[in-house]
C-alpha cells in the first residue's frame, strides 16, 4: 500500500502545480574525466562538453540508435561532435542530466570561454513543462520537455493554449540564435 501511495503523491504534486520554478545555479566541471568526449552544438550560443561514459549510461533509447551512433563514432575519434542531437531519439535527456549534476563543461561562444556556472529552471507553457538551461547572463541555450499533457483543475479559456504554445515556440527558436 505504501509503494502505491508515494508515486500517487508525487503525481498529484506535479499534476496540481507544485513544481519548483525557481532558478537553480549549478557549478560546471573544470575538466572532463573521460577519455572520450561528446560535444553537443546547441545553435550559435553554446557548446556542451560531456564525457561519453556517463552519457552512454544515461541514454534510454528503445531503438538503440543513439547508443549505436555514439559507439560507432567513439571508435573513430576521441571527440564526438554532434550538431543534430534532436535527430537522436531522447538524446537531450542524458545531456540535461549531466548539466543538472554539473558533470559538463559549457562553452559560451559569444565570450569565447567556458562558463563556471549555469542556471536551470522548470517553466510551464500551458500543457507542457520544459526545463530551460541558461548561461550566466540568463540567455537560454538548451531545453528539454519534462512534462506533457498537464491538465488544470479549472477549464482553460479559449485561445489560452494557443498563446502559451506561441511563447514556448518563440523561446525554443531563440535557443539557436547568437
Amino acid at each position: 500500500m505504501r509503494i502505491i501511495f508515494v508515486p500517487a503523491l508525487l503525481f498529484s504534486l506535479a499534476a496540481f502545480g507544485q513544481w519548483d520554478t525557481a532558478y537553480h545555479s549549478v557549478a560546471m566541471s573544470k575538466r572532463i574525466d573521460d577519455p572520450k568526449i561528446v560535444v553537443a552544438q546547441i545553435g550559435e550560443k553554446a557548446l556542451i562538453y560531456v564525457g561519453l561514459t556517463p552519457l552512454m549510461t544515461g541514454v534510454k533509447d528503445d531503438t538503440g540508435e543513439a547508443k549505436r551512433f555514439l559507439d560507432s563514432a567513439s571508435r573513430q575519434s576521441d571527440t564526438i561532435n554532434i550538431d543534430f542531437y534532436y535527430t537522436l531519439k531522447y538524446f537531450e535527456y542524458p545531456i540535461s542530466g549531466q548539466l543538472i549534476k554539473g558533470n559538463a563543461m559549457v562553452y559560451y561562444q559569444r565570450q569565447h570561454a567556458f562558463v563556471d556556472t549555469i542556471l536551470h529552471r522548470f517553466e510551464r507553457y500551458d500543457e507542457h513543462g520544459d526545463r530551460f538551461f541558461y548561461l550566466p547572463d540568463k540567455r537560454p541555450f538548451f531545453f528539454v520537455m519534462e512534462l506533457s499533457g498537464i491538465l488544470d483543475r479549472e477549464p482553460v479559456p479559449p485561445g489560452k493554449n494557443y498563446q502559451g504554445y506561441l511563447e514556448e515556440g518563440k523561446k525554443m527558436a531563440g535557443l539557436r540564435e547568437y
Side-chain angles (χ1 to χ4, degrees):
M1 193 69 150
R2 289 183 188 188
I3 295 172
I4 294 171
F5 176 74
V6 172
L9 176 64
L10 292 175
F11 172 76
S12 66
L13 289 175
F16 298 114
Q18 301 300 318
W19 41 73
D20 184 4
T21 59
Y23 284 99
H24 297 276
S25 180
V26 179
M28 293 286 95
S29 295
K30 299 291 183 198
R31 58 182 279 216
I32 305 291
D33 290 325
D34 199 308
K36 307 269 182 175
I37 296 174
V38 176
V39 181
Q41 183 172 349
I42 312 302
E44 297 178 15
K45 286 184 192 167
L47 299 171
I48 302 171
Y49 291 72
V50 294
L52 178 64
T53 304
L55 195 62
M56 288 286 278
T57 59
V59 172
K60 305 284 190 251
D61 178 3
D62 296 339
T63 65
E65 175 187 358
K67 285 188 177 184
R68 279 194 302 276
F69 171 79
L70 292 170
D71 186 49
S72 173
S74 69
R75 291 182 194 159
Q76 299 170 14
S77 175
D78 290 342
T79 304
I80 304 163
N81 292 304
I82 298 176
D83 62 357
F84 56 93
Y85 70 97
Y86 281 115
T87 63
L88 294 174
K89 189 174 181 181
Y90 308 124
F91 191 64
E92 64 272 24
Y93 294 102
I95 290 176
S96 169
Q98 295 304 306
L99 287 170
I100 289 170
K101 293 175 187 173
N103 293 338
M105 295 175 65
V106 176
Y107 184 78
Y108 190 177
Q109 295 191 72
R110 176 183 272 184
Q111 295 181 353
H112 304 288
F114 287 96
V115 298
D116 292 330
T117 60
I118 62 166
L119 304 164
H120 68 87
R121 75 176 187 166
F122 181 83
E123 298 178 23
R124 180 174 173 189
Y125 293 92
D126 293 316
E127 296 176 351
H128 293 153
D130 302 328
R131 178 150 317 271
F132 277 88
F133 293 85
Y134 296 87
L135 294 163
D137 59 5
K138 291 197 177 170
R139 294 183 66 196
F141 71 94
F142 184 71
F143 92 102
V144 295
M145 182 189 300
E146 289 187 355
L147 293 173
S148 180
I150 301 170
L151 301 175
D152 291 316
R153 288 183 178 183
E154 302 298 320
V156 178
K160 180 178 181 275
N161 286 344
Y162 177 73
Q163 290 301 319
Y165 293 138
L166 283 179
E167 289 176 32
E168 181 184 32
K170 286 177 186 176
K171 189 159 190 176
M172 288 187 292
L175 294 177
R176 300 216 173 260
E177 298 170 356
Y178 190 66

